[in-house]
Amino acid sequence: MLYPAKMAYFWRIRHSHQKDSSGGEIPPVQCVGRTPHSGSELVLSEDEKSDNEDKEETELGVMEDQRSVILHLISQLKLGMDLTKVVLPTFILEKRSLLEMYADFMAHPDLLLAITAGATPEERVICFVEYYLTAFHEGRKGALAKKPYNPIIGETFHCSWEVPKDKVKPKRTAPHSPAGCHEHPTADDPSKSYKLRFVAEQVSHHPPISCFYCECKEKRLCVNTHVWTKSKFMGMSVGVSMIGEGVLRLLEHGEEYVFTLPSAYARSILTIPWVELGGKVSINCAKTGYSATVTFHTKPFYGGKVHRVTAEVKHNPTNTIVCKAHGEWNGTLEFTYSNGETKVIDTTTLPVYPKKIRPLEKQGPMESRNLWREVTRYLRLGDIDAATEQKRHLEEKQRVEERKRENLRTPWKPKYFIQEGDGWVYVNPLWKAH
């Protein structure tokens, strides 16, 4: 299945997390059964280590023998065809699950946590827009577009980040690293850091729905998101729509920011595939009356720049525009505020916080890296046939188990998320905690 969240966010976007039991923090409960809260075995954050796995991808483009495979696949497709159930060749895989890629949204957790420090509703919505615009670039470690593993139903991913408290300041006033200083901040003293925890889970196979939830208990901030991807064939490109929404909750202020996600496109799939984002997304806070429109511009056929983005923040009751932004989502962004001040953010120099994750030997069988470990191992060895066989084995096992559930008329019960209306919500979210 062609899955994306840049295909995932085609072939990359982002995020991940972990639960912590110490001190009764968020209990991403690692259930032994499939029912939320049953047979709980807490995922201990003390077991987490800084993640040093290399995210770089080989940038060789499409090799000649691979091109013939893609041409054969293209010959069987029609323009506009839904690719969700199309099996793609293993050599385009990116050696990580889509669920893990969602963790990349949190590569700048200092900016996320700084939102709640904004002094006014206007400052907080602008902080969120600034964070949102800088959240996409870190998933693209290279120019080559590759596709993450389609998560197996029941698959989970856990991780966390530690953010030094002195780094969490409202973005509008906080100084930033000088150009070229792409540092990796770490906190030596946990008591001087905020902890951001994250869990992602594949809650449905048809349609393929992924959920992720992250929270910082100390800052009383959390994000709950559900999304499923729908991809279609566009000739020499593949387009991926991200269906669903996320909600950022600032409990200290009683504010909820509902946001959507852009579409992604894999271009030049026969030569050197690359990714661009496109479409209009929205951010809305009903309580304060502030909203934002963010437009990701796709490159014109002739001329024009790539990766352009523009944004506008408005106070709807007074119809006042309080901030405008333009630039590249993976480059330089310029913000202009209602008082005439301007600010430039270079996404390539923002500090990246490495996520913390438990080693494979401490992960459960359905956690992403452990689940896909053999596929990843063979891809790293360049043994595409063996990787394909391991992938086929996992997917066939999923199909067998799905048929059993259908025969028994037993619906799948996720561990960490509950369906509410058209959406999915984490089983023990911060806003329901006592």
Side-chain angles (χ1 to χ4, degrees):
M1 293 184 200
L2 186 50
Y3 216 65
K6 260 172 192 185
M7 200 114 128
Y9 260 115
F10 185 95
W11 316 23
R12 290 173 164 254
I13 328 191
R14 358 203 60 324
H15 333 303
S16 158
H17 169 144
Q18 156 105 32
K19 329 292 182 180
D20 178 47
S21 65
S22 55
E25 302 279 76
I26 87 182
V29 162
Q30 172 103 310
C31 302
V32 174
R34 289 194 308 249
T35 305
H37 302 301
S38 73
S40 62
E41 170 195 326
L42 298 183
V43 176
L44 301 179
S45 63
E46 299 86 70
D47 293 333
E48 294 177 329
K49 309 293 182 186
S50 289
D51 183 34
N52 54 11
E53 189 162 296
D54 186 11
K55 292 199 284 187
E56 295 288 349
E57 289 290 330
T58 306
E59 307 231 352
L60 298 178
V62 178
M63 311 310 295
E64 196 56 46
D65 57 335
Q66 297 173 350
R67 185 177 289 108
S68 63
V69 173
I70 295 177
L71 279 170
H72 176 69
L73 178 63
I74 288 175
S75 70
Q76 303 175 62
L77 304 177
K78 296 179 181 178
L79 285 176
M81 181 177 177
D82 182 359
L83 298 179
T84 303
K85 296 183 180 180
V86 175
V87 178
L88 297 178
T90 304
F91 58 75
I92 69 167
L93 294 179
E94 196 186 331
K95 301 193 281 291
R96 62 176 48 204
S97 172
L98 171 60
L99 295 186
E100 179 170 354
M101 304 208 112
Y102 284 119
D104 290 336
F105 274 133
M106 310 301 163
H108 305 305
D110 54 331
L111 304 188
L112 176 64
L113 297 181
I115 297 171
T116 194
T120 64
E122 178 178 320
E123 186 168 351
R124 289 191 291 274
V125 70
I126 290 173
C127 284
F128 182 38
V129 171
E130 291 176 348
Y131 163 75
Y132 186 95
L133 291 178
T134 61
F136 296 94
H137 76 100
E138 187 56 27
R140 299 292 329 140
K141 280 300 189 179
L144 190 65
K146 288 202 169 186
K147 178 185 175 299
Y149 308 140
N150 293 332
I152 301 293
I153 190 169
E155 178 182 338
T156 63
F157 184 80
H158 310 269
C159 74
S160 65
W161 294 263
E162 289 184 356
V163 186
K165 292 182 178 180
D166 61 0
K167 298 292 186 182
V168 178
K169 302 169 184 174
K171 186 96 179 64
R172 199 157 165 182
T173 57
H176 291 292
S177 307
C181 233
H182 202 57
E183 60 184 273
H184 295 263
T186 56
D188 297 326
D189 184 354
S191 68
K192 296 181 180 178
S193 299
Y194 295 116
K195 186 153 211 164
L196 185 68
R197 300 173 175 83
F198 178 103
V199 60
E201 180 178 10
Q202 191 70 9
V203 299
S204 172
H205 184 46
H206 297 299
I209 300 174
S210 304
C211 298
F212 64 87
Y213 172 85
C214 70
E215 73 169 33
C216 177
K217 189 172 183 180
E218 196 170 354
K219 295 291 284 183
R220 302 187 67 212
L221 170 153
C222 61
V223 179
N224 190 103
T225 302
H226 67 275
V227 61
W228 62 283
T229 52
K230 189 169 185 180
S231 51
K232 65 180 179 179
F233 178 59
M234 302 168 63
M236 289 299 102
S237 299
V238 174
V240 184
S241 299
M242 304 287 289
I243 302 167
E245 66 180 25
V247 181
L248 165 69
R249 287 177 170 85
L250 306 180
L251 301 186
E252 180 182 343
H253 305 288
E255 296 170 358
E256 297 183 1
Y257 297 82
V258 180
F259 61 92
T260 55
L261 296 167
S263 297
Y265 300 90
R267 308 294 194 190
S268 306
I269 58 178
L270 277 180
T271 52
I272 300 179
W274 57 283
V275 173
E276 68 173 339
L277 303 181
K280 186 175 291 189
V281 302
S282 62
I283 298 170
N284 291 287
C285 181
K287 177 180 178 179
T288 64
Y290 283 96
S291 67
T293 300
V294 180
T295 304
F296 293 85
H297 302 269
T298 55
K299 184 182 181 301
F301 191 75
Y302 291 108
K305 294 182 178 180
V306 294
H307 309 312
R308 286 184 57 241
V309 64
T310 55
E312 187 174 272
V313 183
K314 179 184 289 188
H315 184 240
N316 294 298
T318 58
N319 200 33
T320 304
I321 296 173
V322 297
C323 177
K324 287 187 175 184
H326 69 275
E328 293 81 44
W329 56 264
N330 60 354
T332 300
L333 297 160
E334 182 175 337
F335 297 83
T336 303
Y337 307 104
S338 55
N339 62 2
E341 292 180 2
T342 62
K343 181 182 65 182
V344 174
I345 299 176
D346 184 351
T347 64
T348 65
T349 64
L350 291 175
V352 174
Y353 289 73
K355 57 183 177 283
K356 301 186 74 174
I357 184 170
R358 283 164 304 124
L360 284 177
E361 61 270 18
K362 295 198 175 183
Q363 293 186 20
M366 291 302 290
E367 293 188 59
S368 296
R369 288 194 183 178
N370 201 12
L371 180 67
W372 294 96
R373 65 191 303 174
E374 290 302 300
V375 179
T376 300
R377 183 168 73 88
Y378 284 117
L379 284 175
R380 284 179 174 152
L381 292 172
D383 190 338
I384 301 301
D385 291 340
T388 300
E389 177 56 28
Q390 291 293 328
K391 176 174 173 287
R392 187 201 63 76
H393 173 72
L394 288 175
E395 293 170 341
E396 179 56 29
K397 182 180 179 183
Q398 176 179 230
R399 285 189 284 269
V400 169
E401 292 177 351
E402 187 174 21
R403 285 193 291 269
K404 285 181 181 177
R405 290 193 299 274
E406 288 176 354
N407 291 336
L408 295 172
R409 296 196 168 117
T410 304
W412 175 262
K413 294 180 181 179
K415 292 179 181 178
Y416 302 124
F417 293 86
I418 301 171
Q419 189 166 15
E420 291 189 0
D422 294 332
W424 292 80
V425 176
Y426 180 62
V427 296
N428 190 25
L430 199 57
W431 69 87
K432 292 184 180 179
H434 298 295

